[in-house]
Amino acid sequence: MSDLSVAACLVDTKEPAGKPDAVRDGSFDIGSITRRFGSPVGLILPSLIFALWQTAASYQWVEPVFLPAPRKVLEAFWLMLTKQDLFFDFLASMSIVGQAFVYGSAAGIGLGTAAGLSRKFEQFLGMTVDTIRHIPGIAWLPLIVLWLGIGAPAKILVIAKSVFFPLFLNTLQGIRSVEKNYIELGQVLLLTRRQMVRKVILPSAMPNIMVSLRYSAGLSWALVVVAEGLSGLEGLGFLIFRAQGLLLTDQLLVCMIIIGIIGFSIDRQMYALQCRILRWQQGFKG
Amino acid sequence: MGASGKLELRSVHKQYAVGRNMLQVLSGVSLDVGPGHFLSIVGPSGCGKSTLLRLVVGLDVDYGGDILLDGNRIAGPSLARGIVFQDHRLLPWLTLEQNIGLSLENSDWSARAKADAIREQITLVRLSGFEKVYPHQLSGGMAQRAAIARALINKPDILLLDEPLGALDAITRIRLQEELLRIWSVEGTTMILVTHDVDEAIFLSNEIVVMSSNPGSISKRFTVALSSPRDRASSGFIELKRQILAELHLYQQKTEAVEDCVDMAALI
């Protein structure tokens, strides 16, 4: 069961990483959905699901050990928060994701920009990057754990790697698709190379970069759960797999709900950031 | 500035490689534009008039012959030559004032002097109040006025206008023609306008050059001796228009035109 869910998670998160276009399209749809999610209409479906859950639990359609009642889950949450280290585990996960996201995206944008500006550098990196990209982060984990141990650094490295590639590819693509007209304008205005990058090339690539930032933020949050489940003794991912082993379904659900809510709020914040940075864009608002 | 802005073209040639063949785009173009003059270039599509402007602005330095501005051969872009493109080409991520300020990126002015200059240009093109607006929020005419301000802020000796009003509707175009005349009278910059619109050329310029294609060359030069402001419906205006259209092989004898109308009526 646990193998299956890990595998499903890997397939889910790995596939779009290699296809910037798919990321873009997918994200556009998510964008319009989250925008609507802000209105009360978005609350209808969660309420229905909750009602169904409550009903199923009350009438015991499913055995309580497999589907505990919402009340039991709430009690488990309180127990984990007060008597156990839920908050500490949450922080551990957040800190890994935060660091991995910052390192991975900084490297991705930096090297992506360099490769975008210089065809030579792109050719130099090309083969290596495209090969490493196709070895999933989780396949790196066992080796990296041998090197760095089961602590945070191994997980940070693996997740940073998964954040790096969407950013690298989208930054590169974004720079390559800068309109030639704008470059020509920069030449007429005698912009230096540096000014051209700062004022023309990077802003023009920014929509691509923002989309992949948002995508990788979600991806890294999903991956931390897998990475913690596979190695280490703390974090939400560890709690989930421990709860499964001990058949503590209520605790398992607590972790799942927290992961969902945090993932949701990460995405909303990234989306708000994207809207702020790209406020100059006039897009189809649905 | 007064005496600067004299442009001389000495038998300018330009060719492109198209596959294995060389395509002659410009052939033997010679032209003098005096400082402070307003010259228009009209001609059919593909006669090389936009190519000519690209050479003058310095975006393409691979040409034969000489292009001299105040006696110096053009060897690349310079802030002494401003250009307004057909598309306004404002950067969508910069506000109006940032777009205009982009021209001052390399000036050694103080921040204050820059801000003053930007404000002055915005007033000149009558866009005050829109400083913080992004290009997508501007109408086509406003965006083109901003592009003119961006080109003028460096006080160029010569301003090149590559069909700047071509994409605008007829009413906006007439307004902006008047605006251009006003700006020209204020700034006294040498202007070279490429256009398809013969009325526009007569309304704005001192001189009009008609180009023909295959290869692009100057077929005739007209001096506009009409008093300004020009009356688009005056007989002198219309006579000159007739001559220019005839030079472009676009003018039909009146009798033929009437017959055409009759034919059309019969068809309808």
Side-chain angles (χ1 to χ4, degrees), chain A residues 40-41 46 62 73 76 88 222 227 258:
Chain A
V41 180
V62 185
V73 172
F88 171 79
I258 291 176

Side-chain angles (χ1 to χ4, degrees), chain B residues 168-178:
Chain B
L168 303 175
D169 64 89
I171 293 172
T172 312
R173 194 183 309 161
I174 289 176
R175 291 249 165 79
L176 271 183
Q177 287 168 2
E178 286 162 1

Side-chain angles (χ1 to χ4, degrees), chain A residues 184 190 195 199-200 203 280, chain B residues 54 77 89 92-93 103 106 136:
Chain A
E184 217 173 76
L190 301 186
Q195 287 165 336
K199 296 278 177 174
V200 181
W280 51 270
Chain B
R54 285 177 64 85
R89 234 172 264 198
W93 46 86
S103 291
N106 286 309
H136 78 257

Side-chain angles (χ1 to χ4, degrees), chain A residues 137-208:
Chain A
I138 298 307
W140 282 94
L141 191 61
L143 180 67
I144 292 173
V145 164
L146 286 180
W147 290 348
L148 300 179
I150 57 168
K155 290 167 213 153
I156 292 174
L157 187 63
V158 165
I159 297 171
K161 180 252 161 206
S162 301
V163 170
F164 172 82
F165 286 101
L167 273 150
F168 176 80
L169 292 171
N170 275 304
T171 307
L172 174 61
Q173 190 53 45
I175 287 179
R176 286 293 156 78
S177 49
V178 176
E179 268 193 56
K180 201 167 157 275
N181 280 349
Y182 293 150
I183 301 292
E184 217 173 76
L185 174 77
Q187 289 169 348
V188 170
L189 298 180
L190 301 186
L191 296 189
T192 60
R193 182 90 172 143
R194 207 186 143 83
Q195 287 165 336
M196 191 79 100
V197 171
R198 254 191 41 232
K199 296 278 177 174
V200 181
I201 294 174
L202 276 184
S204 175
M206 205 37 98
N208 282 45

Side-chain angles (χ1 to χ4, degrees), chain A residues 211-259:
Chain A
V211 161
S212 53
L213 270 180
R214 181 171 167 209
Y215 164 76
S216 341
L219 176 67
S220 53
W221 181 243
L223 280 180
V224 77
V225 176
V226 182
E228 286 170 344
L230 291 178
S231 81
L233 295 167
E234 59 183 32
L236 290 175
F238 167 71
L239 291 188
I240 274 204
F241 286 96
R242 190 192 60 173
Q244 188 213 10
L246 302 175
L247 221 61
L248 296 169
T249 349
D250 47 357
Q251 292 208 5
L252 202 157
L253 279 169
V254 168
C255 294
M256 282 174 66
I257 292 169
I258 291 176
I259 289 165

Side-chain angles (χ1 to χ4, degrees), chain B residues 65-118:
Chain B
D66 283 316
I67 302 176
L68 309 168
L69 181 63
D70 296 323
N72 302 313
R73 191 172 196 272
I74 285 168
S78 147
L79 294 181
R81 278 164 279 133
I83 185 164
V84 180
F85 301 96
Q86 180 170 12
D87 54 317
H88 54 73
R89 234 172 264 198
L90 299 175
L91 299 180
W93 46 86
L94 298 181
T95 61
L96 177 75
E97 58 179 6
Q98 289 169 336
N99 263 296
I100 296 175
L102 196 64
S103 291
L104 299 176
E105 251 339 274
N106 286 309
S107 72
D108 44 9
W109 302 1
S110 67
R112 171 117 187 224
K114 283 184 187 176
D116 286 346
I118 292 169

